[in-house]
Amino acid sequence: MSALPELTDRDSLAPSRDARTADRSHLLHRVLGFAVFQVAFYFAYRYGMAFSQASASPFWFPDSVLLCTLLLVPPRWWALYVLSVLPIRLFSDVAPEVPLWFLMGTFLIDSTRAVLTALALRHFMKNPLRLDTLRDFAVYCLFAVLLIPAVGALGGATARHTLGHDFWTTWEQWFLGDALAHLVVTPAILYWIVGAFRARTWRPVISRDQAIEVTLLSVGLVVTSYIAANTGGGSVDLLQTRFYAPVPFMFWAAIRFGMLGASGAVVVTAVMRLHAVLHGESSLAQLSPAETAFALQNFLLLRAGPLYLVAVLVEQRRNAERLLRESEERFRTIADTTPALIWFCDRNRVFFNQSWLQFTGRTLEQEVRSRGAESVHPDDQSRVRSAYSGSLAYEQVEMEFRLRRYDGEYRYMLNKSVPRYAPNGEFLGCIGSVVDITDRKRAEEVDRALAHAQRLAAMGELTALIAHEVRQPLSAILLNADTARALLQKEAPPLDQLREIIDDIRRDDLLAEETIRRLRAFLRDQEPLREPLDINAAVTDVLRLVSSDASRRHMRMRVELEPGLPPVVGDRTQLQQVLLNLVINAMDAQADTPQGARHITVRTKPNGNEDIEVIVQDRGCGISPETLPRLFLPFFTTSQSGIGLGLSIARSVVVAHGGKIWAENNVDGGATFHFTIPQHRSVG
Ligand code: ADP
């Protein structure tokens, strides 16, 4: 059985009611759009043809309408739109005297040009409906304003030439008419009509201040455009100041409102000028239609070009700012939702995320004002500052510092930061994340402190132990020295015996020295050595060290060392201390054992394949059942003079070597201690 719900035929075949409604509204949009296009084209065509047929129109408006439409609708609809204007061109009453072949010819030229321009713009521009970047503006100018109109004008000029007009004059008029349509009218349609249509609002969202500004700007523009177009008598001297009166307003519009402002301002001036020309009120009125068109074209070309350039730069900067703002916003949203404390800085700004602010209990303003410094422990501030000053800021930084929490407690924080670079390699600042490591640090401290306490305790214990052991060789030395002195009293001192005694003294002295050296090494917390060593030799050394003490305490020592054992790996001094401790404990445990029954057996043997086992057996008091589980715990002792660290240290040493230590009672009395040490395995 499938877990998915089964689809009925109705579900799968019949569109849902929502889908049908959407389809219907889509169709309605299409039909409406088509109707709007027809109406717009009709008026554009009539307006374009309003100029005498003796000359070309100063703007060929129909081009703008057609191009904008082709940019908006999918290419599969293009043929319909293009063909649909043919009746308008053939049957509108604007030019009854124009021959049919001419109308058909210009229809073909205009349509081809519109399709080619639309294809080029769709292909080369990032967004063919907007002139947002210098690159897109350049592509637009190249194809829509220069290249395609220039080539298309060749066809137009040929057609007109057939009607008796001068070829190159017509080419120039035709070209300027088409070029200016795309420079003046198309951007206005794209920004004012298509823009609003796509934003689905005809009501611009502007503030009160902006509304006042737009009103002032519009009034200024209309008044100055009127003065420029309608006054000045018959002069067409373009050097006259009044021609330039609208210019400041046009640039105002471009700088403050980008392409929307610029295209609007250009249209206002162009329409007013055109209106004046068409109604004979213009200073250009006494010129021939061709001269009028040319003067108009120059007038607009000179203004629109630079104005759009400024507007595009404004748009580009705005877009860059918007993108930066958006990316910063995105970053902030992410930063604010992570539990880590995050900060970033550039040359003039710093930012701290929500987690940081919650941690410090301060506001963003407070943190920004001091660049976070007020929350950092005063003793750490200079360290933090120097880590981020000069060339160091260009590197990754990993550092610890203390940060004051909202409750006033300074917490240890680990800060990791990386430098940020712009795509052009410019250093932008740093971004860092900070985590609270106080608990981890405290745990470590309790561990660095425990170890220290253990070592201190061990030091006391071991000092006593070793002092005790050093006493053995020292008393041996003294005894030997006394014997030598007594022998020297003899008339013929036995030189061989004396030589032996001196050798003994020397050996005992070296032993004492070695013991002290090892003690110092241990207390300096040197890393335990890991070297191959002969366990039997190490055991023999220890037994020799305790031999005099053992005989003084009437211990019978038995040594059973398995010959030919492989070397173990470890620290000789530490392992000898383990054994020394076990042997001394064994002697202590037999304090109450009758003198003749005091035995200590020390044995070595292989344990399985990997380890060597060392065994110390005594005939002492044994270990009571209550004692057994606590034997290796620190500070556990049953002895009056002991401190209970010997076995716990022995266990840490053995465990650190990868071995085990344990104890058991013998069946026939006394206890046995065992420990194992891994064999040395030669590499390769
Ligand atoms: P300390 O010798 O200072 O007491 P240790 O850690 O070396 O510290 O020994 C802890 C305790 O373990 C001793 O006090 C003793 O009770 C018990 N113990 C150690 N070795 C033996 C042994 N061979 N026989 C019986 N008890 C022992």
Side-chain angles (χ1 to χ4, degrees), residues 434-559:
V434 180
V435 283
D436 189 338
I437 51 163
T438 315
D439 294 341
R440 197 177 83 199
K441 248 183 126 61
R442 287 206 178 132
E444 281 169 13
E445 267 167 19
V446 167
D447 272 4
R448 234 188 279 147
L450 241 177
H452 188 64
Q454 272 188 2
R455 213 169 56 235
L456 280 182
M459 190 167 74
E461 171 71 350
L462 282 170
T463 309
L465 205 70
I466 303 299
H468 180 239
E469 294 318 312
V470 171
R471 233 180 16 243
Q472 313 285 332
L474 283 182
S475 49
I477 288 168
L478 189 64
L479 191 69
N480 276 323
D482 288 348
T483 314
R485 178 187 281 266
L487 288 175
L488 282 170
Q489 304 293 328
K490 290 190 175 176
E491 269 185 24
L495 287 182
D496 284 351
Q497 212 179 334
L498 277 169
R499 220 170 274 125
E500 259 176 45
I501 288 175
I502 288 169
D503 282 351
D504 275 1
I505 289 176
R506 193 168 180 279
R507 196 197 58 208
D508 287 341
D509 184 85
L510 286 176
L511 241 168
E513 193 186 292
E514 174 66 6
T515 309
I516 289 164
R517 193 188 63 75
R518 289 177 186 181
L519 172 68
R520 288 183 59 197
F522 183 78
L523 295 179
R524 272 210 313 273
D525 194 20
Q526 282 182 342
E527 276 286 295
L529 292 173
R530 289 285 178 270
E531 57 188 7
L533 60 98
D534 178 353
I535 195 78
N536 285 346
V539 170
T540 313
D541 266 4
V542 172
L543 295 181
R544 217 164 42 75
L545 195 68
V546 294
S547 61
S548 52
D549 198 19
S551 64
R552 192 173 50 79
R553 293 166 79 169
H554 308 286
M555 302 287 159
R556 267 211 238 142
M557 302 290 290
R558 213 159 108 196
V559 183

Side-chain angles (χ1 to χ4, degrees), residues 37 41 60-73 78 81-82 85 110-122 125 128-129 131 140 143-145 148-149 178-179 181-183 185-187 189-190 194:
F37 166 72
F41 191 88
W60 188 233
F61 298 112
D63 261 9
S64 297
V65 175
L66 187 58
L67 177 63
C68 291
T69 308
L70 295 190
L71 290 179
L72 269 176
V73 303
W78 284 6
Y81 278 86
V82 167
V85 302
D110 285 359
S111 307
T112 315
R113 210 175 41 213
V115 167
L116 286 180
T117 312
L119 282 176
L121 299 190
R122 272 174 178 251
M125 285 173 72
L129 294 175
L131 305 172
Y140 180 83
F143 288 103
V145 181
I148 297 178
D178 295 339
H182 288 322
L183 202 58
V185 186
T186 312
I189 297 180
L190 289 181
V194 176

Side-chain angles (χ1 to χ4, degrees), residues 461 581 585-586 589 618 621-623 627 631 636-639 642-648 671 673:
E461 171 71 350
N581 195 56
N585 277 352
D618 63 59
C621 55
I623 307 158
T627 304
L631 214 53
F636 172 76
T637 180
T638 55
S639 142
I643 51 170
L645 275 172
L647 285 181
S648 83
F673 281 76

Side-chain angles (χ1 to χ4, degrees), residues 4 35 58 60 77 100 120 156 181 218 233 274 300 331 352 411 519 564 631:
L4 293 171
W60 188 233
W77 293 96
L100 183 67
S218 311
L274 210 58
L300 288 166
F331 167 76
F352 299 89
R411 307 280 294 179
L519 172 68
L631 214 53

Side-chain angles (χ1 to χ4, degrees), residues 46 48 92 137 158 249 260 278 294 345 418 448-449 482 521 564 604 684:
R46 281 196 68 128
S92 67
F137 182 61
T158 312
F249 291 96
L260 195 71
L278 290 178
F294 195 61
C345 70
V418 286
R448 234 188 279 147
D482 288 348
T604 59

